[in-house]
Amino acid sequence: MAATCGLCAGANYFNQPLLHSIAQELGVHDGQAASIVTLAQVSYAFGLLLLVPLGDMLERRRLVLSLMVLAATGMALSGLSGPSHSFALLALGTGMTGLFSVAAQVLVPMAASLAAPGTSGRAVGLVMSGLLIGILAARSVAGVLSGLGGWNAVYGVGAVATLAMAVLLARALPRAPVVVRLGYGAVLRSLGQLWRQHPRLRSRALIGGLGFATVSVLFSTMALLLAGPAYGLNDTQIGLIGIVGIAGALMANVAGRMADRGREQATTLTGGLLMLLGWALLWQGGHSLWAFLLGFLVVDGALQALHISNQNVVYALEPQARSRINAVYMTTYFVGAASGSAVGAWAWLQAGWAWLQAGWGGASLAGATLGLLTLAVVLWDRRLARVG
């Protein structure tokens, strides 16, 4: 399940290092090629909202396998794009892959349901570690495969790997009984009801969204810093630095184990404080690569501590509605990511005040400010937990 989550989630990041090659081969400008990155994210958001809730009304094993086959079909269509085909075929394949790769987000609450009593945090942490490593490694793997066989090969290999993993899961996963018997419209309407009914779903979703926004400020500006005059790194070197985040992703498993011991609140508070420490290091990273690398590792690990403890809390709010709760939480999570990227770009352009380093100083201030907001919501959630 962890490997499947990594493969499905990572499929949406294959295109990022391939954009220039895609533009050249399909005869489109770089801006049009870059639009498929946005298309993948928007499609994934729609999948979170419209497909993940089906995990509470359909048999989950069959749902996961169906979504994986459809995601593999999308990758195959993307791989068929070439000089003799239109950019529209690539866009169609990208949209299908993004929409149906939310199979990963059906598997995460399924892991919590299948886990033995007292081990759901560890199970979620393990599966999420696979998902996060898949996202972080996807760009590097795509670059290597493209160098060996062209950018089309990346999608072909991804499609075959996804189908192969679907076969393995078909043999390994048990059937999961239908949780609730509701119509699709009622399931979608219940998302708003869950949001209103559970204050800690709201607080934990905001912690997740603000935490991811904080890290997205880093992701949207780090290449500008590392490729700029301070370091002058090329794309390959910047991509290798991104692999540092894999070590931070392993924090997900640690956070899951802590949750199983009833330490969600301590883990969450630690994550919030580490986020601020990480941005203090990243600010120093404007002139010290070692400080940047350490800050990157701390911030990424802090996000995983927040994210896994969040999921452990929200899944326990209403076990029979885990897929719908996950849809609400993850939609907020990715809205935070998109917002953080926009804030990071704005802060980079607005920087240059007398007391700030131009560009990176503004981004660091924006990241630290979002980190403070995250910590404030963490403290609000602690009060909600004490109230009951």
Side-chain angles (χ1 to χ4, degrees):
M1 293 169 78
T4 299
C5 284
L7 183 60
C8 289
N12 289 305
Y13 297 84
F14 285 158
N15 52 34
Q16 293 186 7
L18 310 176
L19 297 179
H20 185 64
S21 297
I22 289 172
Q24 285 188 320
E25 184 164 334
L26 296 185
V28 298
H29 57 76
D30 288 346
Q32 186 175 353
S35 68
I36 64 171
V37 175
T38 302
L39 177 60
Q41 294 173 335
V42 171
S43 300
Y44 193 78
F46 274 107
L48 286 170
L49 191 62
L50 301 177
L51 298 180
V52 170
L54 294 175
D56 285 338
M57 61 176 289
L58 300 177
E59 199 277 311
R60 288 179 180 173
R61 176 177 173 273
R62 181 178 298 176
L63 174 62
V64 166
L65 296 176
S66 299
L67 292 174
M68 289 178 69
V69 170
L70 289 168
T73 302
M75 284 182 250
L77 289 175
S78 297
L80 290 174
S81 303
S84 61
H85 298 89
S86 69
F87 179 79
L89 184 61
L90 175 62
L92 174 62
T94 299
M96 284 188 65
T97 302
L99 183 67
F100 297 116
S101 63
V102 293
Q105 297 302 332
V106 179
L107 282 170
V108 174
M110 187 177 181
S113 300
L114 293 175
T119 65
S120 62
R122 180 182 176 185
V124 170
L126 177 61
V127 172
M128 282 301 302
S129 291
L131 186 150
L132 296 165
I133 290 171
I135 290 174
L136 292 166
R139 299 174 184 88
S140 299
V141 172
V144 171
L145 289 175
S146 179
L148 292 174
W151 68 267
N152 307 77
V154 177
Y155 292 103
V157 171
V160 172
T162 302
L163 290 175
M165 194 61 71
V167 172
L168 292 175
L169 278 185
R171 299 177 61 183
L173 280 183
R175 292 188 178 274
V178 176
V179 180
V180 294
R181 299 193 178 278
L182 293 173
Y184 184 58
V187 166
L188 292 183
R189 288 193 296 273
S190 71
L191 300 181
Q193 295 168 359
L194 290 167
W195 178 269
R196 294 189 297 271
Q197 182 180 348
H198 297 290
R200 294 200 72 199
L201 175 57
R202 298 195 294 271
S203 65
R204 286 288 172 163
L206 286 173
I207 291 171
L210 285 168
F212 203 5
T214 307
V215 176
S216 293
V217 170
L218 170 62
F219 288 158
S220 64
T221 57
M222 61 179 282
L224 299 174
L225 170 69
L226 296 174
Y231 299 110
L233 302 184
N234 59 37
D235 290 349
T236 301
Q237 291 168 325
I238 293 172
L240 291 174
I241 284 178
I243 295 177
V244 172
I246 292 178
L250 299 178
M251 181 66 183
N253 206 18
V254 176
R257 292 174 183 270
M258 294 292 289
D260 287 336
R261 297 171 186 165
R263 304 292 300 277
E264 301 101 330
Q265 293 302 107
T267 304
T268 307
L269 181 59
T270 301
L273 294 172
L274 284 175
M275 190 71 76
L276 293 176
L277 172 62
W279 271 108
L281 291 166
L282 285 169
W283 180 62
Q284 295 295 320
H287 51 78
S288 169
L289 186 58
W290 287 110
F292 179 88
L293 292 173
L294 183 57
F296 186 175
L297 182 61
V298 170
V299 164
D300 190 57
L303 178 63
Q304 308 323 322
L306 293 173
H307 186 47
I308 300 304
S309 57
N310 286 342
Q311 289 183 308
N312 199 69
V313 169
V314 300
Y315 290 163
L317 293 174
E318 200 167 324
Q320 71 275 18
R322 277 178 173 151
S323 288
R324 285 170 287 161
I325 282 176
N326 195 46
V328 172
Y329 173 78
M330 291 304 300
T331 299
T332 308
Y333 192 68
F334 278 94
V335 167
S339 302
S341 296
V343 168
W346 175 85
W348 182 276
L349 294 174
Q350 296 300 316
W353 300 305
W355 56 280
L356 283 177
Q357 177 188 352
W360 186 245
S364 298
L365 178 62
T369 301
L370 287 170
L372 283 172
L373 290 174
T374 304
L375 186 59
V377 181
V378 167
L379 297 176
W380 172 46
D381 178 77
R382 290 173 71 86
R383 187 174 66 181
L384 290 175
R386 288 195 296 270
V387 171

